[in-house]
Amino acid sequence: MMRRRFLAAITAGALALTGCGGKAPPPPPKPRVTVAHPLGRDIVDWDEYVGRFEAIQDADVRPRVSGTITAILFRNGQDVRAGQPLFIVDPRPYRAAYLQAAAATGRSAATLANAQTELARAQKLRSLQAVSQEELETKLANVRTAQADLDANRAAQSTAKLNLDFTTVRSPVTGRVSDKKVSLGDVVTAATTDLTRVVTLDPIWFTFEGAESLYLKYTRQAQEGERGSSRNTPNPVDIQLADESSYPHHGKMVFVDNAIDPRSGTIRAHAELANPGRMLTPGMFGRARLVGSGTYRAMLIPDEAITTDQTRKLVYVVDGQGKAAARPVETGPMVAGLRVVRTGLTPRDRVVLDGLTQLQPGAAVDTVMTRLTPRAEDTAPGASPLTAPPAAAATTH
């Protein structure tokens, strides 16, 4: 009984409030968001690698003859030309051997001339039946023997001349020489003793290794005509040094190895680039970016306009009825300070740039239209440059 009276009182109060003009609370205001059309651009992807510079020619200099070092004709670490003299091995024994071989050649030439004279005389007498056929054949054999001796002595003279020339040890290539490994008076052995090392500097190689997945990607692209294979196409490569934030050094691909290393799952490759100032040195570390795709059309939007739904990347767009809708997208690298969206957006979509936390799919929103512009130069993101350590000490002048 008491409960019925309580409910009746509540109902009467509600009716009284309604009769007095009471209203339901108004709905919450629609969220206000900023929207913009994505920027359409033609994009080329670049893949990044780490590697080192390598000399195209790296020659260990060894003597061609044995003997005593009598002269060193270069300064450690200097630039040298191909054929420039570097060392002198005592030439006196080889000069004497050459003169001896030359004398033997002269003696053989004289013997041959004498044998030819005797053969001519015997042939004339044979026509007069003054000598026998046997004697004529002996003279002919003497000429042949003398000719063979002359040929052998000429070859020995050439060998002696080569050995004499080899007493001057020359640079095999144009490049930069290392330090000397021997001193004056040291006895060196032909083809054994290390004298020094010469490396070429211009042009120079940049050697790196790529993962099997990247190799497969490039192969598929070549098969589909999107990007030429670096085996036969000089694809561009940009390189930065450890203390640089951009990629100022430019080269081209010239080599991809013929097999993948089963231990590391990578394949070796190198690019070639000019080095006229010879600043780039073999063994130097560098970062490279290699063109990784053909040209394709993509949309650019700010990175903060992209949300993540577990494994998916989502972008909110506003449709013609003013309602927000979540759109799955496939993203790429950063370009000009904006994120590449490969698929999922069109140039006419209105992309929500802010207020994403208050949005629900299908919710009505108020929009403020703006225009996207590039936020940075159109370059790939650079790595933080390394800085040299501070000086340990200083002096005044």
Side-chain angles (χ1 to χ4, degrees):
M1 188 67 178
M2 293 287 294
R3 181 173 181 180
R4 289 179 180 176
R5 290 177 180 176
F6 179 71
L7 293 175
I10 292 177
T11 303
L15 292 174
L17 289 175
T18 303
C20 292
K23 297 180 180 179
K30 293 186 290 186
R32 180 180 292 270
V33 295
T34 303
V35 297
H37 296 304
L39 293 179
R41 291 290 188 272
D42 290 330
I43 303 298
V44 175
D45 291 340
W46 294 80
D47 297 324
E48 293 190 350
Y49 297 91
V50 175
R52 293 191 179 274
F53 291 94
E54 180 180 323
I56 295 179
Q57 300 289 335
D58 188 339
D60 289 325
V61 180
R62 296 185 176 94
R64 305 285 293 273
V65 294
S66 301
T68 303
I69 296 294
T70 58
I72 299 174
L73 307 176
F74 69 95
R75 176 174 49 83
N76 291 344
Q78 79 173 71
D79 292 343
V80 296
R81 304 179 311 276
Q84 179 175 331
L86 301 179
F87 297 89
I88 299 294
V89 178
D90 188 359
R92 291 173 298 176
Y94 297 97
R95 185 178 295 113
Y98 170 71
L99 294 175
Q100 184 178 6
T105 300
R107 182 173 62 250
S108 297
T111 301
L112 175 61
N114 185 53
Q116 289 173 335
T117 300
E118 291 183 356
L119 175 61
R121 184 183 303 113
Q123 288 173 334
K124 184 176 181 180
L125 294 176
R126 177 59 183 166
S127 64
L128 300 175
Q129 300 295 320
V131 296
S132 65
Q133 181 66 29
E134 181 181 2
E135 186 176 352
L136 177 62
E137 291 176 354
T138 299
K139 300 297 184 184
L140 180 59
N142 291 340
V143 169
R144 291 171 177 168
T145 300
Q147 182 66 59
D149 289 341
L150 178 61
D151 292 342
N153 285 327
R154 282 175 174 170
Q157 182 181 352
S158 296
T159 300
K161 182 63 168 61
L162 282 175
N163 289 334
L164 179 59
D165 291 341
F166 289 155
T167 59
T168 300
V169 181
R170 303 177 184 274
S171 174
V173 295
T174 296
R176 184 167 294 162
V177 68
S178 181
D179 60 338
K180 60 183 184 295
K181 308 299 182 184
V182 296
S183 300
L184 292 176
D186 284 350
V187 178
V188 298
T189 304
T192 301
T193 306
D194 285 329
L195 300 180
T196 189
R197 174 185 173 209
V198 182
V199 297
T200 58
L201 296 176
D202 185 24
I204 195 169
W205 282 342
F206 182 81
T207 301
F208 58 94
E209 293 183 352
E212 182 178 348
S213 58
L214 289 170
Y215 177 76
L216 289 173
K217 183 186 79 167
Y218 298 149
T219 302
R220 305 290 187 199
Q221 289 175 344
Q223 292 173 345
E224 296 170 4
E226 297 178 5
R227 171 191 179 276
S229 170
S230 293
R231 292 188 186 279
N232 47 39
T233 303
N235 288 317
V237 175
D238 298 336
I239 301 171
Q240 68 171 199
L241 303 182
D243 62 346
E244 295 172 339
S245 58
S246 61
Y247 293 80
H249 311 283
H250 308 290
K252 60 183 179 180
M253 290 296 300
V254 295
F255 169 76
V256 178
D257 209 348
N258 59 358
I260 293 175
D261 188 340
R263 295 168 297 180
S264 63
T266 59
I267 189 167
R268 188 169 58 93
H270 62 242
E272 181 177 309
L273 62 159
N275 186 27
R278 300 195 173 188
M279 182 185 73
L280 305 176
T281 302
M284 184 180 289
F285 164 85
R287 299 181 180 93
R289 60 180 191 181
L290 167 64
V291 62
S293 73
T295 302
Y296 63 94
R297 192 69 175 177
M299 301 294 109
L300 304 183
I301 61 174
D303 221 8
E304 60 268 21
I306 302 172
T307 63
T308 302
D309 179 12
Q310 295 182 352
T311 60
R312 298 187 304 168
K313 301 286 187 180
L314 300 175
V315 171
Y316 277 93
V317 298
V318 178
D319 60 19
Q321 286 74 40
K323 295 182 178 181
R327 185 81 59 80
V329 294
E330 179 188 353
T331 60
M334 295 291 288
V335 174
L338 300 173
R339 178 67 62 181
V340 169
V341 176
R342 291 192 174 98
T343 60
L345 291 179
T346 68
R348 302 307 304 168
D349 284 331
R350 293 187 295 169
V351 177
V352 178
L353 304 181
D354 58 8
L356 300 178
T357 57
Q358 58 184 336
L359 293 182
Q360 293 293 331
V365 295
D366 286 333
T367 60
V368 177
M369 196 69 185
T370 187
R371 186 170 179 267
L372 287 180
T373 57
R375 295 179 173 180
E377 294 183 4
D378 190 8
T379 58
S384 299
L386 300 179
T387 56
T395 60
T396 60
H397 293 279

